[in-house]
């Protein structure tokens, strides 16, 4: 029968303790694959790896009307609609704006993707050709006060999965958000073609 020395036993216990601390300090998977934000402010173009985005205006409404396509004439909501007017340009290849979100306080909301084509989300962009349109977000009523007090972050990314890629993030002043009864949603337009 072989005897283990006290020194070796302590060394083994110490190695296990170091390993436990290392596992406890390791970042979560979400933190490892989180997108890399490229930040800017409303009115300036923010350039990420796959696209550039500029927020030109923002509004809030109790109801939106869709002025084109085969959509219902009005889209009511339990909360309110946040409407972001933006121009997006992709750089290298034909791509779609597949990820758009707004962050209000600690909450993040994805874009409403059921607008008829041609809508900004899902539009197939030719490289270097700017397209202007509106993004639509459905938010709860309590988010309006937070948006006005703290501002809003609007994020844009091309491709299906924005993880481990750059994302254009545009900061918008909350004082620009004013609740109106209705806002008209128009089709996305290629710049210069009206």
């Amino acid at each position: 029968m072989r005897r283990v020395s006290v020194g070796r036993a302590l060394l083994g216990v110490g190695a296990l303790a170091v390993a436990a601390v290392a596992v406890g300090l390791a970042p979560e998977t979400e933190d490892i694959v989180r997108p890399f934000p490229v930040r800017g402010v409303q009115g300036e173009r923010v350039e990420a790896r796959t696209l550039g985005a500029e927020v030109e205006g923002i509004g809030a409404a109790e109801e939106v009307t869709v002025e084109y396509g085969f959509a219902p004439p009005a889209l009511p909501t339990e909360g309110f609609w946040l409407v972001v007017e933006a121009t997006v340009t992709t750089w290298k290849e034909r791509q779609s704006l597949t990820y758009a979100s707004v962050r209000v306080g600690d909450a993040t909301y994805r874009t409403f993707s059921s607008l008829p084509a041609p809508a900004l989300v899902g539009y197939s962009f030719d490289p270097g050709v700017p397209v202007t349109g509106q993004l639509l977000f459905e938010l709860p009523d309590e988010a309006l006060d937070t948006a006005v007090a703290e501002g809003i972050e609007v994020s844009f990314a091309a491709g299906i999965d924005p993880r481990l890629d750059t994302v254009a993030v545009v900061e918008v002043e909350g004082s620009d958000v004013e609740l109106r009864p209705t806002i008209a949603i128009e089709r996305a337009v290629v710049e210069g073609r009206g």
Side-chain angles (χ1 to χ4, degrees):
M1 185 175 205
R2 195 169 160 187
R3 299 178 102 195
V4 177
S5 71
V6 173
R8 284 189 176 179
L10 288 175
L11 184 62
V13 169
L16 286 174
V18 168
V21 169
V23 167
L25 294 175
E28 297 291 325
T29 302
E30 290 176 13
D31 294 331
I32 294 170
V33 297
R34 177 176 287 142
F36 302 100
V38 178
R39 297 186 175 280
V41 296
Q42 180 177 350
E44 72 178 30
R45 187 162 82 173
V46 179
E47 297 184 356
R49 184 183 67 83
T50 56
L51 59 75
E54 180 180 345
V55 171
E56 297 164 355
I58 194 157
E62 297 166 359
E63 180 178 90
V64 295
T65 57
V66 180
E67 301 290 317
Y68 68 96
F70 296 105
L75 298 173
T77 179
E78 295 295 318
F80 71 97
W81 293 106
L82 186 69
V83 180
V84 176
E85 174 126 4
T87 298
V88 176
T89 308
T90 59
W91 304 133
K92 298 179 181 175
E93 57 191 33
R94 190 175 183 94
Q95 289 187 314
S96 296
L97 176 65
T98 53
Y99 178 84
S101 68
V102 292
R103 183 171 181 184
V104 178
D106 292 331
T108 300
Y109 305 93
R110 295 287 304 266
T111 187
F112 180 77
S113 59
S114 297
L115 290 174
L120 197 56
V121 169
Y123 193 96
S124 188
F125 295 87
D126 286 322
V129 179
V131 177
T132 299
Q134 294 160 307
L135 298 170
L136 190 58
F137 302 91
E138 187 173 14
L139 279 64
D141 283 329
E142 58 271 12
L144 183 60
D145 291 336
T146 305
V148 170
E150 298 178 20
I152 299 165
E153 288 185 350
V154 186
S155 298
F156 302 84
I160 295 171
D161 190 354
R163 294 180 300 177
L164 291 176
D165 202 351
T166 58
V167 174
V169 179
V170 180
E171 297 171 7
V172 178
E173 289 291 322
S175 60
D176 293 341
V177 181
E178 182 181 322
L179 187 64
R180 294 183 260 170
T182 188
I183 293 178
I185 303 298
E186 299 174 0
R187 65 183 182 88
V189 175
V190 174
E191 219 171 269
R193 293 191 194 163

